Amino acid sequence: DIVLTQSPVLAVSLGQRATISCRASQSVSISSINLMHWYQQKPGQQPKLLIYRASNLASGIPARFSGSGSGTDFTLTIDPVQADDIAAYYCQQSRESHTFGAGTKLELK
Amino acid sequence: QVQLKESGPGLVQPSETLSLTCTVSGFSLTSNSVHWVRQPPGKGLEWMGIIRSGGSTDYNSALKSRLSISRDTSKSQVFLKMNSLQTEDTAIYYCTRGVYYGLLDYWGQGVMVTVSS
């Protein structure tokens, strides 16, 4: 099974840049297609799709969110961080079956 | 618009079988896959399994021996059955639509299931 590793917590100040990483135990890319996706989950809510295929913004998601990476290393960037962005963020791979990372909780410094 | 709604018992006895239903609208089960994902209280997301548009299934290897996913396309419903429940199966259970490349674009609100005697 492909294991996705995320740092559990990231503390950031409002208006600053947040960089959340996700490392896969093996490549989740096929040719130029990166099968890595990102979700945001606020307390008491279901997860919401933010970024698909590593770098594509989902419908209705603000442009301050962006994604990058390929192979085994991926990054979700929020710039600038707003109060509404305080949430948990999960990466998910669909290269081999499906797995989620353990999530990164974005907190205010 | 696309909607998914989970339903089922809120409380299940240990060792018994969990049965959940996901009722979808706004899309066809023969055009999209449906996944089940669960989340224990205060913990992260765990992918459980998928039923694809053609009806084939795939399961998390850790749950495979206990889990079954099926559907009734005429009723736009997907079913989850998991046996031999233990307290660690206490979680919110979500159904979610899968689209091309395996991303999950619409999620139900989830149903909380507690395993307790």
Side-chain angles (χ1 to χ4, degrees):
Chain A
D1 292 3
I2 297 178
V3 175
L4 303 180
T5 300
Q6 297 183 246
S7 297
V9 177
L10 178 65
V12 64
S13 302
L14 293 179
Q16 299 302 304
R17 173 185 296 180
T19 302
I20 298 170
S21 64
C22 177
R23 175 164 286 177
S25 58
Q26 62 192 78
S27 176
V28 298
S29 303
I30 302 175
S31 298
S32 60
I33 302 172
N34 302 301
L35 296 173
M36 180 66 78
H37 322 292
W38 290 92
Y39 302 83
Q40 177 193 65
Q41 187 181 32
K42 297 179 181 178
Q45 295 185 16
Q46 67 269 55
K48 178 169 74 173
L49 177 67
L50 286 180
I51 300 282
Y52 62 95
R53 277 186 287 133
S55 59
N56 297 275
L57 211 58
S59 176
I61 303 301
R64 64 179 183 275
F65 290 90
S66 63
S68 64
S70 65
T72 60
D73 290 298
F74 296 86
T75 301
L76 170 69
T77 301
I78 312 169
D79 190 11
V81 169
Q82 297 187 1
D84 189 51
D85 302 333
I86 300 306
Y89 292 86
Y90 295 91
C91 54
Q92 175 233 341
Q93 68 81 22
S94 54
R95 171 65 178 86
E96 272 185 18
S97 192
H98 301 261
T99 47
F100 287 95
T104 296
K105 196 171 182 182
L106 188 66
E107 296 183 343
L108 283 179
K109 213 180 261 186
Chain B
Q1 68 277 29
V2 172
Q3 290 186 323
L4 302 97
K5 186 172 174 67
E6 307 88 349
S7 59
L11 181 65
V12 179
Q13 304 276 340
S15 79
E16 294 199 340
T17 296
L18 172 66
S19 295
L20 297 176
T21 300
C22 174
T23 303
V24 310
S25 58
F27 70 97
S28 169
L29 294 178
T30 57
S31 298
N32 292 103
S33 61
V34 170
H35 301 237
W36 286 94
V37 174
R38 69 178 179 176
Q39 185 171 37
K43 296 191 177 180
L45 303 171
E46 179 182 30
W47 182 80
M48 299 182 71
I50 177 179
I51 185 160
R52 298 183 182 88
S53 56
S56 64
T57 54
D58 186 23
Y59 302 112
N60 182 322
S61 55
L63 301 174
K64 193 168 187 173
S65 63
R66 301 195 288 139
L67 183 60
S68 174
I69 298 174
S70 60
R71 69 184 185 181
D72 183 335
T73 56
S74 67
K75 295 183 178 178
S76 295
Q77 291 180 324
V78 175
F79 310 106
L80 176 148
K81 285 193 191 307
M82 190 161 70
N83 60 31
S84 304
L85 253 61
Q86 301 301 320
T87 54
E88 51 266 33
D89 294 311
T90 293
I92 298 174
Y93 286 75
Y94 297 100
C95 59
T96 169
R97 186 177 82 159
V99 295
Y100 202 51
Y101 293 121
L103 59 104
L104 308 174
D105 64 347
Y106 286 90
W107 295 65
Q109 291 194 317
V111 60
M112 179 68 204
V113 174
T114 301
V115 181
S116 175
S117 54

